[in-house]
């Protein structure tokens, strides 16, 4: 025990090293490691480090160091994406990760500095929880936003239960992060003061809340087939493989009962052909099987079969003066006759992935976007609901969009479920499970089931409680058949959005100020 005390004293007497290390440890709570006890204690240890810090400037510096470690580990999957393109050296990925971390670390720096300025020693965990909530909300929209891996996700349970994230409908993800910060601070304070009984009781309650299964849940009435074709990233954008990929996807989703009414779900990048009419002929001729969009749609109608409505990823063009000036990453709904019955264009695009910011500056320096092609993708109008008649109302969020808390549903036309097609083949072994975890949080917040169809995994059926009813793992081909889980009534978060999270942030901060004033007396 004495050696441990000396080691901890050495550690905390080197605050910058301690902050960087604790940031890395706090990121171990994210998937696929999911070491949530370590993550909570690491965040709590950082709160104790802030208590020992004099002045908000030093606290902000430590917050920045914490954030660098935190976001470098949490976003390490980004480096893998650079290995699937030929225009830039793959080694750039290992520069992109720390550069992104240097920027994202500004948000923990802001939270730490503000908390230290607002509160004294006793109240600092409450103030830090409120400031962290606000900083995550800010990270979610500033410069188009990058809300990947909110800290609250460490409270998400295994597939058969939501864990402590079950309270997200009454808080929202960003306030859930603030609560996780507060829990970590209280645990670390109890450990530091050797209050063993409260620490043991809290640990038992936390473990019970994290691992309590949610049960089977209600059954739905809308039949679906969801396909994961296992098309590897190195083949996905190669025209030589387009036709084989299409046939594989079509065969996996074939109807098992002729004429059955069902919803068929293909992933992002599910169709290589342009399906909309009206483009110059040379664009159709550049695709694989058909130089005619009518024939391309009819072929799809034939392979999906009577009674089936398909939702599939595709690409549309924006044409002006006989030239394509941009593209849209879309989900297109087609019936068995090959008629387009609905469409949705992705609104939250991936910077440097689907478009190149500051193209006028970066392109002459040799930078390109990661997705092949010379055209930048254009943003769609935002969340929309596609009415599919007897197959229900489908909300659509394509790939990365699902991580934006409070921005995934058209509140005026609430859907029955959300379809989240994705191409997670870019992101190695750690990106897909993190992506799935964030989709589960959206399901819990909104009280809506989410169906994820991906090219290489992880595809999943998630009910309105965040329980994974079924899934297909990475690098596997397969299909899932069943009934779409039912939606829950609109949650408090579904009605209030992130105003609810901001209200909790204010509550955390006011509680901290009250505690500070009482201690001052």
């Amino acid at each position: 025990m004495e050696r441990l005390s000396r080691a901890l004293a050495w550690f905390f007497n080197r605050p910058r090293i301690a902050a960087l290390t604790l940031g890395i440890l706090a990121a171990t709570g994210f998937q696929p490691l999911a070491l949530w006890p370590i993550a909570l204690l690491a965040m709590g240890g950082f709160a104790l480090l802030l208590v020992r810090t004099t002045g908000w400037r030093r606290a902000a510096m430590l917050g920045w160091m914490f954030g660098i470690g935190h976001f470098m580990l949490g976003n390490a999957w980004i480096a893998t994406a650079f290995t699937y393109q030929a225009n830039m050296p793959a080694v750039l990925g290992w520069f992109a990760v720390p550069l992104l971390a240097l920027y994202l670390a500004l948000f923990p720096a802001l939270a730490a500095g503000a908390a230290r300025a607002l509160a004294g020693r006793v109240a600092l965990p409450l103030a830090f929880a409120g400031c962290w909530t606000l900083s995550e909300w800010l990270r979610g929209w500033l410069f188009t936003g990058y809300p990947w891996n909110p800290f609250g996700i460490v409270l998400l349970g295994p597939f058969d239960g939501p864990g402590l994230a079950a309270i997200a409908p009454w808080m929202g993800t960003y306030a859930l992060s603030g609560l996780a910060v507060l829990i970590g601070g209280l645990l670390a304070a109890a450990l530091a003061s050797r209050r063993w009984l409260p620490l043991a009781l809290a640990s038992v309650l936390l473990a019970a809340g994290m691992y309590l299964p949610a049960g089977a849940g209600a059954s739905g009435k809308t039949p679906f087939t969801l396909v994961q074709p296992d098309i590897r990233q190195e083949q996905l954008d190669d025209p030589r493989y387009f036709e084989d990929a299409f046939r594989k996807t079509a065969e996996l989703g074939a109807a098992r009962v002729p004429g059955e009414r069902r919803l068929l779900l293909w992933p992002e990048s599910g169709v290589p052909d342009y399906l909309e009419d009206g483009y110059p002929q040379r664009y159709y001729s550049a695709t694989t099987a058909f130089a005619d969009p009518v024939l391309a749609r009819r072929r799809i109608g034939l392979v999906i079969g009577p009674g089936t409505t398909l939702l599939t990823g595709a690409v549309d063009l924006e044409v002006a003066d006989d030239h394509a000036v941009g593209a849209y990453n879309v989900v297109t709904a087609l019936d068995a006759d090959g008629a387009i019955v609905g469409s949705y264009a992705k609104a939250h695009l991936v910077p440097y992935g689907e478009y190149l910011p500051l193209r006028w500056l970066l392109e002459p320096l040799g930078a390109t976007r990661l997705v092949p092609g010379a055209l930048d993708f254009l943003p769609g109008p935002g969340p929309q609901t596609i009415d599919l008649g007897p197959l229900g109302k489908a909300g659509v969020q394509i790939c990365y969009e699902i991580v934006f808390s409070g921005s995934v549903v058209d509140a005026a036309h609430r859907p029955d479920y959300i379809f989240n097609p994705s191409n997670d083949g870019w992101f190695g072994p750690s990106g897909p499970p993190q992506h799935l975890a964030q989709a589960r949080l959206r399901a819990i917040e909104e009280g809506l089931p989410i169906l994820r169809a991906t090219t290489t995994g992880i595809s999943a059926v998630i009910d309105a409680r965040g329980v994974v009813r079924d899934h297909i793992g990475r690098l596997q081909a397969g299909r899932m058949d069943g009934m779409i889980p039912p939606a829950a009534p609109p949650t408090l978060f579904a009605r209030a959005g992130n105003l609810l999270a901001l209200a909790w942030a204010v509550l955390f901060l006011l509680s901290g100020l009250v505690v500070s004033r009482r201690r001052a007396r």
Side-chain angles (χ1 to χ4, degrees):
M1 183 64 71
E2 184 178 347
R3 288 183 179 179
L4 178 61
S5 298
R6 288 179 180 177
L8 289 174
W10 181 92
F11 183 69
F12 280 98
N13 286 332
R14 289 156 179 81
R16 295 190 181 187
I17 295 175
L20 183 68
T21 305
L22 291 169
I24 294 170
L25 291 174
T28 65
F30 302 141
Q31 295 290 338
L33 297 176
L35 301 176
W36 61 268
I38 293 176
L40 291 175
L41 287 174
M43 183 63 80
F46 179 66
L48 294 181
L49 193 64
L50 292 181
V51 169
R52 296 160 55 99
T53 303
T54 57
W56 67 267
R57 289 183 178 86
R58 291 187 179 180
M61 174 55 70
L62 293 181
W64 192 58
M65 297 298 295
F66 176 92
I68 290 171
H70 191 65
F71 291 114
M72 280 187 65
L73 180 59
N75 290 293
W77 53 268
I78 290 175
T80 309
F82 283 78
T83 65
Y84 294 114
Q85 51 79 48
N87 295 322
M88 294 179 289
V91 71
L92 284 180
W94 296 108
F95 291 95
V97 172
L99 286 173
L100 178 63
L102 291 175
Y103 160 67
L104 294 175
L106 294 174
F107 296 97
L110 177 64
R116 195 66 189 86
L118 291 171
R121 296 170 61 91
V122 176
L124 192 138
L126 280 165
F128 189 39
C131 291
W132 188 278
T133 301
L134 292 172
S135 72
E136 278 202 350
W137 167 76
L138 188 63
R139 176 161 65 93
W141 63 263
L142 190 64
F143 304 126
T144 76
Y146 185 76
W148 192 272
N149 278 344
F151 188 67
I153 214 165
V154 305
L155 298 181
L156 185 66
F159 280 6
D160 62 349
L164 295 177
I167 62 176
W170 293 276
M171 300 190 77
T173 289
Y174 301 135
L176 184 69
S177 294
L179 179 64
V181 168
L182 179 60
I183 290 172
L186 295 177
L187 287 175
L191 184 62
S193 60
R194 300 183 183 182
R195 297 176 182 174
W196 303 120
L197 183 60
L199 181 63
L201 181 60
S203 300
V204 170
L205 291 175
L206 278 171
M210 288 295 293
Y211 294 115
L212 187 68
S219 178
K221 299 179 180 179
T222 303
F224 74 90
T225 298
L226 189 152
V227 170
Q228 178 173 298
D230 188 25
I231 302 170
R232 305 298 169 91
Q233 193 61 38
E234 57 267 24
Q235 298 179 355
L236 187 67
D237 296 307
D238 189 334
R240 295 174 298 175
Y241 297 98
F242 281 175
E243 189 61 19
D244 288 343
F246 177 85
R247 290 185 179 184
K248 184 177 183 181
T249 304
E251 289 171 2
L252 277 170
R256 291 175 173 169
V257 179
E260 65 176 330
R261 179 174 61 82
R262 62 176 184 149
L263 179 65
L264 177 60
L265 303 170
W266 289 358
E268 186 183 21
S269 309
V271 175
D273 302 291
Y274 294 123
L275 301 178
E276 290 282 357
D277 299 313
Y279 305 151
Q281 183 58 41
R282 63 183 180 277
Y283 294 110
Y284 298 114
S285 301
T287 59
T288 53
F290 295 103
D292 184 334
V294 175
L295 293 178
R297 295 196 302 266
R298 285 179 181 172
R299 177 173 74 150
I300 293 173
L302 287 173
V303 300
I304 66 177
T308 298
T309 297
L310 170 69
L311 291 176
T312 180
V315 173
D316 289 348
L317 295 178
E318 179 75 18
V319 176
D321 298 327
D322 202 43
H323 291 280
V325 295
Y328 296 96
N329 187 351
V330 301
V331 162
T332 301
L334 298 109
D335 64 17
D337 296 322
I340 296 177
V341 297
S343 183
Y344 167 82
K346 185 178 183 181
H348 275 294
L349 301 174
V350 182
Y352 305 100
E354 292 169 307
Y355 70 98
L356 184 64
L358 302 174
R359 179 176 285 276
W360 61 272
L361 173 64
L362 297 177
E363 193 169 43
L365 299 176
T368 66
R369 63 177 212 201
L370 295 176
V371 177
L375 293 175
D376 279 338
F377 282 86
L378 305 174
Q384 293 176 314
T385 300
I386 303 173
D387 191 343
L388 299 175
L391 293 173
K393 297 177 180 178
V396 182
Q397 290 289 287
I398 299 174
C399 195
Y400 169 70
E401 291 186 299
I402 202 67
V403 308
F404 286 84
S405 175
S407 301
V408 300
V409 169
D410 179 0
H413 304 90
R414 180 173 166 85
D416 301 311
Y417 51 88
I418 296 174
F419 176 44
N420 176 222
S422 185
N423 168 22
D424 284 356
W426 291 94
F427 304 133
S430 61
Q434 290 178 13
H435 206 173
L436 172 61
Q438 289 168 102
R440 292 179 64 197
L441 271 183
R442 296 295 85 72
I444 297 169
E445 279 182 334
E446 300 287 349
L448 290 171
I450 294 178
L451 299 99
R452 281 178 49 81
T454 73
T455 50
T456 59
I458 305 168
S459 298
V461 178
I462 307 164
D463 72 17
R465 304 165 301 165
V467 174
V468 178
R469 296 277 191 96
D470 198 1
H471 75 284
I472 304 171
R474 286 187 65 243
L475 309 181
Q476 300 176 26
R479 64 182 274 169
M480 292 180 280
D481 295 276
M483 299 290 178
I484 298 176
T491 64
L492 181 60
F493 181 84
R495 293 189 177 97
N498 280 318
L499 287 176
L500 181 62
L502 295 177
W504 275 97
V506 172
L507 180 61
F508 288 141
L509 290 170
L510 289 178
S511 300
L513 290 175
V514 168
V515 171
S516 290
R517 288 189 177 183
R518 287 186 175 179
R519 293 290 297 182
R521 291 175 184 174

